[in-house]
Every structure is written in C-alpha cells, then in structure tokens.
Amino acid sequence: MIPTKITPTVLAGGSGSRLWPLSNEATPKQFLRLTSDWSMLQQTLMRFDDTARFKAPMVVCSEKYRELVIEQSAEISCSLSDLLLEPMKRDSAAAIAAAALRAATLDADALLLICPSDHLIHDTSRFTKSVDDAAALAARGYIVTFGVAPTHPETGYGYIRCGAKLEASDGLLVDQFVEKPDAPTACGYLASGRHLWNSGMFMARADVLVEELSKLAPDLLAAIRSAINEGEPADDATPGLKLGSDAFKTAPSISFDYAVMEKSKRTAVVRAHFDWCDLGSWDALADVMAPDTAGNICQGAVATVDVQGSYCRSAGPEVAVIGLENVVVIATESGVLVASKNACQDVKKAVAALSRPKGATELEAEHAGRVNVQ
Amino acid sequence: MIPTKITPTVLAGGSGSRLWPLSNEATPKQFLRLTSDWSMLQQTLMRFDDTARFKAPMVVCSEKYRELVIEQSAEISCSLSDLLLEPMKRDSAAAIAAAALRAATLDADALLLICPSDHLIHDTSRFTKSVDDAAALAARGYIVTFGVAPTHPETGYGYIRCGAKLEASDGLLVDQFVEKPDAPTACGYLASGRHLWNSGMFMARADVLVEELSKLAPDLLAAIRSAINEGEPADDATPGLKLGSDAFKTAPSISFDYAVMEKSKRTAVVRAHFDWCDLGSWDALADVMAPDTAGNICQGAVATVDVQGSYCRSAGPEVAVIGLENVVVIATESGVLVASKNACQDVKKAVAALSRPKGATELEAEHAGRVNVQ
C-alpha cells in the first residue's frame, strides 16, 4: 500500500469535435453516455470509489460545464474535493498547473493522479494495481506516466520509448515521448517492443509538478498562480474556484506534454495492466462494442441492407444504410456524419469546414486539407 | 398537325419511397423541387403550355394530395380541366380507367396523353414532335407508347421489344413488353437494337382505352364506373371529382401495363426523340445534375473531405462526408439515407425495414431480403 492517499484529478475540458455530431461544444464527449448509462466523466469518477486509496476527486473544466459536472457527479453521489473552472479554453498545461497549485497549498506531498475524462477502462482492480506501481514512484519524485502495450500500429496515439528499469520498482525511465507516428513508423514501434502507447494519464506529487513547471514553463505557472489568487467561489455547494479571467487568459495555450513531459528529467513510465481505450474517434468507439453477426453495431432507429463491418447510430432520425462496408454513420437532428471507418480521424477537418462555431474553436483551418464546402 | 387537341392526363399518385427521406407519404417526389425551383409535377404541367396543341390538363391523384396539386398548379397559372381524387391507393389501371371514362363522357374521340408526374424532360420541342407522331397513330385506334433508345443496360426500367413498322407512320408495332431485366439480360437488350426503354408515357383515344379495359379488365372498369357515379365534387374552384370510396375500393390494385398493355393487340410504339429520365432513384437524380471537379454533387449544408463521385444533399442538418466514393447521402431532420450509388434501388427495402407507415404502404416486406433493423 502507498503512503498517502491519492487525489484523482480529472481533466474535463475537451470539446471532442472528433465525435461530432453527438459531441459538440455544448455537450462534449466526456458528458455523453456513449457506451453505457453513465457518461465518460461518470465512469471516470466511479473508478475512484475506493475511499481507502483515493481522496475525493478534483475536476478541472471550462466554466461552461460547471452545471454538467455538478449534476453528473451528484447523480453518482460523488462529492468533489475541488472544482476548478477555466474562464476560457487553454490547453492541458494550464489545467494541470492550476490543479497542482491548488493541491500543493493544502499538502505539498499530495499525490495527484491526472486523468482525462474520456478514457474507457473496465478492469478497475488491474487499474488500481498499476496506480499503486505509479504511486510508489511518484512518491519518490517522478512524474509517472501509464504506458499501454500496443496491440496494433495505431497512428492516432503518441508513443513512449522506454528506457532503463528503475531500481526497486515496476517502472522504467522514459527515453523519449514521440508524437503520433505515420503508419510505417507505427509498425516499427510495434515491432521494436520498446514502445508503449502514451495513455495521457500520469501521477506526480503536487510539489514536483509545481517545481517542474517553475523550471520549464515559468510564465504559465505565474499566470495560473495569479488566476487562482484572483479567483471566485465556483459554486455555493461545491468547493472550488472560478479562475480569474484576466490572469488566466495570459497563460499560453500549450499541452502539458509539450510544456513539461518532453523536457523534464523526472519522467518515468509504468505499464498499464488494465484494458484501456481513448474514445477519441468513432472507430475507436466501435471497437469497444459488440457487433452483430454482420459485424455491424447499430444503435437507435437504424435499418441496414447489405452492410458489413459498420457502426450506425441514430440519436433521433430514421437512418437507412445500404450496400456499404466499414462505414461510420452517426445521425442527430442537427448533424450527420458519414465516414469511412479508417477516415474517422478527419472528422475535425469536416467539422471545421462546416464552419460550426461549436466545433471549430479548437481547429486550425489551415490543416483542413482537401475540404470542399458547398 | 393532328386533328384534335390532346388532353394531357397526369398521374400524380406515386408515393416515391425510393427517394426517401425527401420523398415520403406526406410529400411524394412529384411535389418536391428536386432539380429546380419547380416541382416535378409543375415541370410536367408546364410541358403542356402550348394551348394550340394541348387542352387543359387532367390530374389523377390521391385525395390526400388535393391541396398540393391545386396549390402547385395555381403557382404556375395552370388551370386543370379535371381533377380526379382517389380515396385510397390503387395502381395505375384504376387511375387510367377513371381518366378514360371521364374524358369519354365529354368526347369519345378525346386523345389522352397519359404521363407520370415524375419524369424529367427538358427538350419540349422534341417532346412535342414525338407527341405528334404518337397522336397520329392514337387517332387511328392504337395505344401508343413512347420508347426511349437505351444508353446503357439499365436494370431499373421495363423494356419494349419492337415489332414491324406501321404503315404511313413513324411507329412500330409492339412485339412484347418485358419486365425489368437482370444485368446480363439488359446487356442483351442493349446489343439487340430491337429494345427500347418503356417510358411509361402513352397516348390513346378515350374510347379505345375504355374498350380495351372492358375486354381485359371488366371488373376494374365496372368498379371505376361506379366510383365515378358515386363521386362528389373535388373542390369548389377546380372542376373534378372525388371518386366514391365504396366502389373504388373494390377495384383490383394492378398496373395498367399488366392489366392492359401486355395483353392488348392494339399497342404501338414511337421513338422518343427527346431527353428523358425517370427520376425514380437517387442515382438517377445524380445523373442529371452537374458535378463539381471531384465528381460530387453537394446541395445544402454539406462538407466533404476526400470524397469522389458522390451525391450529398441536406435539407437541414449539417452533413459531413469523409473518405468515401460513389455514395449517396440524403439528410433531413427526420431521416437519413446513406447508400452505395449502385444500391439505390434498395431504398424501398430499407424504408420497409424501418417500418415507416409513410413509405411502407407500397412495399412488400417479404421482398426485403437481407435487412437488419435494430
């Protein structure tokens, strides 16, 4: 068992345009009941039910999602220890800096388990085992990521090249964080045996995170420190803080991976022994559901004729799919996605092209490639 | 020039489930503005603007579409000579029998030009030339169909095998009407040079139609005669009749082709010199529109990424299509069709499977084939 209890720190800020049209700016994917009666956020929070091991969770999200987070955590009787509301969209470095600073004021040694809110993990006991492995190293001052053994040459994930084994632990040093590879590179990673998928979850002491941020991203840390000082109560019933907008907006929009992980000398990795899936795209979601005999997954008012290997989902309209293989069809009253399964990573491009104010905020139009809009 | 003026007789009874989801029981395809600002019905009526050649048109349709027909004909300042309203769905033999009986009471020699209301014909002057060819033969007592020279081995149309040339005319006897063929048979027809597409339009004298019906479908003719006798005024402002329901419902549901054409000894065919398209399916509709440089036709709020040769149309929702070739995507708020272009003939099956009361009426579930509904 680990020395101190762990503070789960859930990042719920993503807008998830790759799961458009179900996911949009008003209701990003972490709040959707995509795979069960519970939303991805709720499934994430429920992973920390073991009060002997975990403190009450902390959540960082946009202030737009305050009600959604409060409602959805209340629905599963989860009391949050802290709710940090961001006044505008920044990337993960700002969110993690805020969480680390808030936790460190209470307890410098606080062990933070930083989790995105849109990952699917079913095996909670194996998850807990890996968390214990990571906690032991985090307590020693490492920033410990969870690496997932690749099952296929995925091009949608970042990878971790593993280094030397760390003494008296189940962890390894991180040799290098590598960006999302192209297909041949991903095949090489798979063959090497030295590469793990970067799950995006990690553990560290609050003081270690603050220290690394002060070295590697001092401006960002200073901005977030001011935003906390200028903050207001998040909610009457929930402990938390609405971060001060004047200071927060000066924080650079940068991911924690870029700002800290790729530069820090204190990174380690433990193997994730649990099932793990980043539900970042419709084909990933299709992969975790049980298909019918034709290899299709159909949800809602859907009829298929001569369709194989496809994911067809309606949140309202009647949908007919005919004579196609390996397609994804997702329909709501206001939006319809029709994509080849292996092109699901391009949903962002199409959403950007539709010039939806909803999904377009986090998109860079210049990356849109071959897009035609009529 | 022909001896008597022609009475255009427009059949507007179809429910057009193959153009689902735009076309449905409430608004069948003949009332939709599919290819221009005018509906298919309006385009059909406008073909008869030449008052030197044509009398005011007669329309036969379901009483459900009374308002639509009256509105759409008023919109193009077309006065109908007769509006015959069917109290329930029967096939074309009943509709044509009603038109023939009504016309014959006024003028036994009336020349009827029977036209479906969902055909696309742009070249009105060539159309008129073929009508004159047909009228000359119809006046001599023939039932004269319009045969279209096939441009490809279409399996969605019926064919006419042409017989001997008719003296002093541009027509031929009909050797045989043949059903929609399979692909190899269609190739044979194309190669033979003796086969024309059956356009579904034809001309005959009212008394000839009544005589042939009395020989070949006497029960049907008797039922329709009673339905006319029991009829009520169609509308205060429009001449016409709502056919009596008690008698009309006893009329067999059979197409005029089966009931009369295939058995009559008085059938002839003239070549259609005009462009002609039966907009019976989405791929046919795509064929008559101008594609963009990627070979796509996109209408409405549609974004495409890496899409070729496809027809994407939205009547409301935002639609994103990604990484696909030769597909048809048609979206409304209540229905979405996604089909391979060459599977558009199967839309009926899928609509039947969705158990829509709207489109399912004219469908036979037992023909639905490989259909899965969730």
Side-chain angles (χ1 to χ4, degrees), chain A residues 321-328 338-343 370 372, chain B residues 283 286 292-298 304-312 320-329 338-344:
Chain A
V321 186
I322 306 171
L324 292 165
E325 280 184 35
N326 300 322
V327 295
V328 170
V338 181
S340 165
K341 249 190 185 173
N342 56 26
R370 274 214 287 154
N372 307 306
Chain B
D283 53 327
D292 62 23
T293 51
N296 299 319
I297 297 148
C298 296
T304 59
V305 180
D306 290 330
V307 172
Q308 291 87 37
S310 295
Y311 180 24
C312 309
V321 186
I322 307 171
L324 291 165
E325 280 185 33
N326 301 322
V327 295
V328 169
V329 178
V338 181
S340 164
K341 249 190 187 174
N342 56 26
C344 286

Side-chain angles (χ1 to χ4, degrees), chain A residues 130 134 144-150 158-162 172 174 177 195-202 268-274 276:
Chain A
S130 295
V144 190
T145 63
F146 294 83
V148 177
Y159 286 69
I160 296 167
R161 193 168 74 218
C162 300
L172 304 160
V174 171
F177 287 94
H195 290 82
L196 300 172
W197 287 336
N198 183 0
S199 71
M201 293 184 292
F202 62 92
V269 56
V270 297
R271 276 178 184 273
H273 295 292
F274 47 88
W276 172 86

Side-chain angles (χ1 to χ4, degrees), chain A residues 298 318 320 334 336 338 356 374, chain B residues 298 318 320 334 336 338 356 374:
Chain A
C298 296
E318 293 187 310
S334 59
V336 178
V338 181
R356 297 183 104 225
Q374 325 292 325
Chain B
C298 296
E318 291 187 311
S334 59
V336 178
V338 181
R356 298 184 103 224
Q374 326 291 321

Side-chain angles (χ1 to χ4, degrees), chain A residues 159-351:
Chain A
Y159 286 69
I160 296 167
R161 193 168 74 218
C162 300
K165 193 168 184 320
L166 278 163
E167 216 176 307
S169 83
D170 286 319
L172 304 160
L173 281 170
V174 171
D175 217 30
Q176 198 187 355
F177 287 94
V178 282
E179 305 265 336
K180 293 177 188 179
D182 59 18
T185 310
C187 289
Y189 291 169
L190 189 63
S192 79
R194 288 183 60 196
H195 290 82
L196 300 172
W197 287 336
N198 183 0
S199 71
M201 293 184 292
F202 62 92
M203 284 187 80
R205 286 203 323 254
D207 64 336
V208 170
L209 291 173
V210 173
E211 211 175 295
E212 292 299 281
L213 282 160
S214 73
K215 270 192 287 190
L216 302 168
D219 294 350
L220 183 137
L221 189 68
I224 301 302
R225 205 185 293 271
S226 302
I228 289 174
N229 292 338
E230 295 166 9
E232 296 165 24
D235 181 75
D236 290 343
T238 310
L241 204 64
K242 185 172 152 184
L243 297 164
S245 149
D246 287 347
F248 192 81
K249 75 177 174 208
T250 67
S253 195
I254 184 169
S255 78
F256 190 77
D257 279 2
Y258 282 116
V260 174
M261 286 293 201
E262 297 185 2
K263 297 171 192 155
S264 172
K265 312 276 188 229
R266 303 169 76 166
T267 53
V269 56
V270 297
R271 276 178 184 273
H273 295 292
F274 47 88
D275 63 301
W276 172 86
C277 181
D278 175 2
L279 294 184
S281 60
W282 286 115
D283 53 327
L285 197 56
D287 282 345
V288 301
M289 287 190 275
D292 62 23
T293 50
N296 300 320
I297 297 148
C298 296
Q299 299 174 297
V302 172
T304 59
V305 179
D306 290 331
V307 172
Q308 290 88 37
S310 296
Y311 180 24
C312 308
R313 178 170 184 153
S314 173
E318 293 187 310
V319 174
V321 186
I322 306 171
L324 292 165
E325 280 184 35
N326 300 322
V327 295
V328 170
V329 178
I330 313 291
T332 72
E333 282 180 12
S334 59
V336 178
L337 170 69
V338 181
S340 165
K341 249 190 185 173
N342 56 26
C344 285
Q345 300 294 335
D346 285 339
V347 173
K348 276 190 174 193
K349 287 185 195 173
V351 174

